[in-house]
């Protein structure tokens, strides 16, 4: 089932409870007023019957009725009966059962369905005359009908009230939840653009949602500050380490020229030089990435022959490939031109090819392809080496991520692919990888031939 939004859920709940409450209140009201109305009808009937005693008199041994006795006051019918129950004077409603037994001074309910009556009798003796019964009859349905009209009106008004409450509630809740939507959108934008400088920016308010948004903004500011501090720290550290590494390298070179060194001392010194070189390389990659993070990494694009540049990079790696028993194959279309930063492009290709050789395990091949396609240049570095497992594949673009941490490659620090990705994206290109464990990997990139004007 499709998920219902919070707005709809709260509106439905609110409307349901409002309707329930209204129904209960109306039910109670109707039941109380019905009792009240019927009670007052009975009281009226009783009063009318007692009053009618004055309308019956005896003249010359005969009963004489006043005209009022025949009036239909408040829907009450009056009739006079003799002791045996024989009708003498008055009126009874149409359909009333004449045979109803007389019950002196008590209220009776007779009839069923649409023909129900309250009946009230009194027995008394007018003057010297024999005992008579005065009977008052009043329709219960008549009293109930007036209530039914009100009930019907309520039944028509209730759905209207529900619809009105629901609609008003929905707009009110939507308005109340608008800040929550704004918070969600901000988070989604941050996730998409990785831009921590965004804020919800609801302004000042006193309700809980405003306080939440303000707290959220404060938290974002703190996170951003933390990231900035970390970037600055990495940048400062790599800056500071650059000089000592360069000094170690220079000193090693100078010392290695000393004729008096023993063979063993030379070997040890060469080992130090190699490690210092790797350290210096790692520092320069770190510096590159921290500059890129801070938007300070310079890109100097110019129109270059990518075919020649790619070939040059591949040739640079030929010796290394040979040493590892790997065949370097090239399928490079001639004279493909694009607007790129020459040194960054070289860095990218060298990184990809050196990875393909380093993680190959040999013997085998590494194939470098370059091809022009409409406004793009498509390139790939393919190898038939060890490949990468599906679990590791999504992480290889992360900094310092290395699949086989135990087998640390000398000049590989886990910063190569993040750098490659940044270079491709800085050229408004794309890069992706496909790999099968035990079969090999293909890194494919696309670069636009013309600069789009958009700078990252
Ligand atoms: P490093 O600088 O250590 O090579 P990278 O960021 O370039 O780090 O690569 C990250 C990880 O991706 C490497 O540790 C390696 O395990 C894996 N990898 C990269 N390229 C290949 C490849 N062509 N074949 C197999 N594994 C690869």
């Amino acid at each position: 089932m499709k998920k219902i939004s919070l707005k709809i859920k709260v509106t439905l709940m609110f409307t349901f409870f409002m309707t329930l409450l209204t129904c209960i209140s109306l039910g109670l009201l109707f039941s109380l007023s019905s009792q009240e109305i019927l009670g007052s009808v009975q009281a009226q009937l009783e009063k009318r019957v007692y009053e009618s005693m004055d309308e019956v008199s005896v003249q010359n041994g005969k009963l004489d009725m006043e005209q009022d006795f025949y009036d239909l006051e408040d829907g009450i019918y009056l009739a006079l009966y003799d002791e045996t129950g024989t009708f003498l004077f008055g009126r009874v409603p149409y359909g009333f059962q004449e045979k109803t037994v007389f019950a002196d001074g008590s209220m009776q309910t007779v009839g069923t369905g649409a023909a129900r009556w309250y009946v009230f009798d009194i027995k008394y003796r007018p003057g010297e005359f024999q005992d008579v019964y005065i009977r008052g009859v009043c329709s219960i349905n008549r009293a109930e009908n007036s209530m039914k009209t009100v009930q019907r009106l309520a039944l028509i008004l209730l759905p209207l009230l529900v619809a009105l409450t629901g609609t008003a509630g929905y707009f009110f809740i939507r308005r109340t939840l608008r800040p929550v939507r704004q918070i969600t959108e901000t988070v989604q934008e941050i996730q998409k653009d990785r831009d921590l400088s965004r804020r919800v920016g609801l302004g000042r308010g006193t309700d809980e949602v405003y306080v939440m948004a303000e707290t959220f903004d404060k938290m974002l500011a703190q996170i951003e500050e933390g990231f900035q501090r970390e970037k600055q720290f990495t940048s400062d550290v790599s800056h500071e380490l650059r000089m000592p590494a360069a000094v170690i390298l220079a000193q090693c070179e100078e010392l290695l020229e000393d004729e008096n060194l023993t063979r063993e001392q030379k070997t040890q010194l060469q080992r130090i030089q190699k490690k210092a070189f790797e350290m210096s390389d790692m520092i320069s990659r770190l510096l590159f990435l921290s500059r890129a993070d801070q938007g300070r990494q310079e890109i100097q694009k110019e129109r270059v022959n990518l075919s020649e540049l790619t070939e040059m990079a591949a040739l640079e790696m030929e010796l290394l490939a040979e040493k590892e028993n790997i065949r370097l194959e090239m399928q490079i279309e001639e004279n493909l031109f694009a607007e790129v930063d020459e040194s960054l492009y070289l860095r990218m290709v060298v990184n990809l090819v050196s990875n393909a050789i380093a993680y190959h395990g040999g013997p085998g091949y590494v194939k470098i392809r370059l091809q022009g396609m409409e406004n793009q240049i498509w390139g790939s570095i393919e190898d038939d080496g060890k490949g990468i497992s599906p679990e590791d594949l999504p992480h290889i673009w992360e900094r310092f991520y290395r699949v086989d941490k135990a087998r640390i490659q000398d000049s590989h620090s886990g910063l190569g692919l993040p750098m490659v990705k940044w270079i491709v994206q800085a050229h408004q290109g794309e890069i992706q990888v496909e790999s099968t464990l035990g079969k090999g990997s293909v890194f494919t990139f696309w670069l636009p031939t013309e600069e789009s004007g958009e700078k990252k």
Side-chain angles (χ1 to χ4, degrees):
M1 200 179 85
K2 207 180 157 222
K3 273 190 192 164
I4 310 174
S5 77
L6 186 64
K7 262 182 305 203
I8 305 281
K9 253 191 236 171
V10 177
T11 310
L12 285 179
M13 218 160 72
F14 166 78
T15 314
F16 171 75
F17 283 112
M18 276 297 286
T19 314
L20 195 73
L21 209 71
T22 315
C23 286
I24 292 173
S25 317
L26 282 179
L28 269 171
L29 204 74
F30 285 144
S31 127
L32 286 177
S33 60
S34 139
Q35 283 169 23
E36 182 64 27
I37 289 173
L38 295 179
S40 85
V41 166
Q42 289 177 3
Q44 249 176 356
L45 175 65
E46 219 175 298
K47 191 169 158 237
R48 178 79 184 94
V49 171
Y50 280 118
E51 278 172 1
S52 69
M53 284 161 69
D54 298 339
E55 293 158 17
V56 184
S57 54
V58 183
Q59 297 230 337
N60 305 325
K62 278 186 166 181
L63 285 171
D64 183 33
M65 312 300 293
E66 277 180 29
Q67 188 52 41
D68 288 355
F69 193 81
Y70 296 92
D71 287 352
L72 204 64
E73 216 176 284
D74 297 322
I76 297 170
Y77 291 81
L78 290 173
L80 193 81
Y81 298 84
D82 69 10
E83 228 175 340
T84 59
T86 311
F87 177 82
L88 298 174
F89 300 103
R91 298 167 68 182
V92 283
Y94 175 75
F96 176 71
Q97 303 145 13
E98 292 273 4
K99 302 235 167 347
T100 307
V101 281
F102 288 90
D104 181 20
S106 69
M107 188 66 68
Q108 299 184 70
T109 306
V110 298
T112 50
R116 288 186 304 131
W117 291 276
Y118 282 132
V119 180
F120 187 73
D121 306 314
I122 49 166
K123 186 179 180 186
Y124 92 113
R125 180 174 294 214
E128 294 301 307
F129 205 74
Q130 62 187 65
D131 282 350
V132 289
Y133 282 107
I134 297 181
R135 166 165 279 180
V137 182
C138 173
S139 167
I140 299 177
N141 304 89
R142 194 167 158 258
E144 280 179 346
N145 280 348
S146 63
M147 260 167 20
K148 273 193 184 132
T149 314
V150 180
Q151 279 171 356
R152 259 185 231 123
L153 202 72
L155 276 180
I156 296 169
L157 283 178
L158 191 69
L160 280 178
L161 193 82
V162 170
L164 203 75
T165 315
T167 317
Y170 176 79
F171 283 108
F172 176 73
I173 290 159
R174 200 172 76 155
R175 210 184 132 85
T176 314
L177 288 181
R178 197 176 296 156
V180 176
R181 202 178 60 207
Q182 215 163 317
I183 294 173
T184 315
E185 279 170 6
T186 309
V187 176
Q188 282 169 346
E189 277 164 11
I190 291 173
Q191 274 178 337
K192 197 170 131 233
D193 306 338
R194 296 181 175 272
D195 179 7
L196 276 171
S197 66
R198 284 185 196 274
R199 297 288 177 273
V200 182
L202 276 190
R204 293 213 156 263
T206 44
D207 74 29
E208 290 83 347
V209 185
Y210 275 84
V211 175
M212 184 171 92
E214 210 183 316
T215 316
F216 194 78
D217 276 350
K218 276 186 196 156
M219 189 185 74
L220 277 177
Q222 276 175 356
I223 295 176
E224 193 191 9
E225 208 183 293
F227 268 98
Q228 291 297 354
R229 240 183 285 131
E230 193 195 294
K231 279 182 199 166
Q232 193 57 46
F233 176 75
T234 318
S235 168
D236 292 348
V237 167
S238 15
H239 242 294
E240 294 301 318
L241 289 178
R242 225 154 62 132
M243 188 55 100
V247 172
I248 295 170
L249 276 173
Q251 291 287 315
C252 285
E253 216 160 295
E254 210 180 302
L255 270 173
L256 277 170
E257 280 167 19
D258 190 343
E259 306 273 313
N260 300 324
L261 288 180
T262 62
R263 221 178 131 86
E264 200 181 332
Q265 281 171 327
K266 257 194 176 165
T267 319
Q268 281 173 348
L269 206 53
Q270 273 164 345
R271 215 174 287 152
I272 294 174
Q273 189 189 34
K274 192 165 170 271
K275 288 290 162 198
F277 182 77
E278 284 165 21
M279 198 166 74
S280 162
D281 188 57
M282 185 161 106
I283 292 167
S284 88
R285 286 178 183 214
L286 258 182
L287 205 57
F288 178 97
L289 285 170
S290 67
R291 275 205 213 108
D293 284 344
Q294 292 172 328
R296 292 191 296 114
Q297 179 59 50
E298 278 184 26
I299 312 170
Q300 279 162 357
K301 288 185 191 169
E302 52 188 324
R303 201 166 159 73
V304 290
N305 188 331
L306 275 200
S307 314
E308 282 178 6
L309 211 59
T310 313
E311 213 170 313
M312 211 166 89
L315 290 176
E316 228 179 83
M317 309 305 295
E318 218 158 34
L319 255 177
L320 187 69
E322 239 171 67
K323 230 169 84 183
E324 299 289 331
N325 209 2
I326 289 163
R327 212 168 56 249
L328 262 193
E329 295 175 10
M330 280 185 251
Q331 271 179 24
I332 297 173
E333 198 180 310
E334 274 183 25
N335 293 324
L336 292 173
F337 284 86
E339 296 260 350
V340 297
D341 181 310
E342 205 175 305
S343 70
L344 290 185
Y345 179 80
L346 265 177
R347 244 182 174 186
M348 177 194 90
V349 179
V350 168
N351 252 292
L352 290 173
V353 179
S354 80
N355 272 356
I357 296 169
Y359 301 110
H360 193 294
Y365 70 85
V366 171
K367 206 179 273 175
I368 303 157
R369 293 195 188 92
L370 201 70
Q371 207 178 312
M373 284 183 173
E374 290 182 16
N375 300 327
Q376 283 187 326
I377 290 179
W378 169 91
S380 76
I381 316 292
E382 183 188 328
D383 66 70
D384 62 344
K386 287 199 289 265
I388 307 161
S389 73
E391 298 84 56
D392 289 312
L393 209 56
H395 302 290
I396 59 168
W397 306 102
E398 291 167 13
R399 288 175 195 187
F400 294 109
Y401 190 85
R402 280 187 307 228
V403 173
D404 193 351
K405 287 157 194 87
R407 274 194 70 245
I408 295 172
Q409 294 279 337
D410 294 341
S411 57
H412 292 259
S413 50
L415 293 173
L417 288 180
M419 211 167 69
V420 165
K421 190 160 195 162
W422 186 87
I423 294 171
V424 176
Q425 287 178 341
H427 286 84
Q428 283 86 51
E430 281 294 332
I431 184 160
Q432 66 178 44
V433 57
E434 278 170 49
S435 189
T436 313
L437 203 60
K439 287 199 172 156
S441 320
V442 194
F443 284 81
T444 314
F445 62 86
W446 294 265
L447 293 175
T449 46
E450 302 284 337
E451 203 185 353
S452 67
E454 187 191 333
K455 275 202 168 158
K456 288 202 177 174

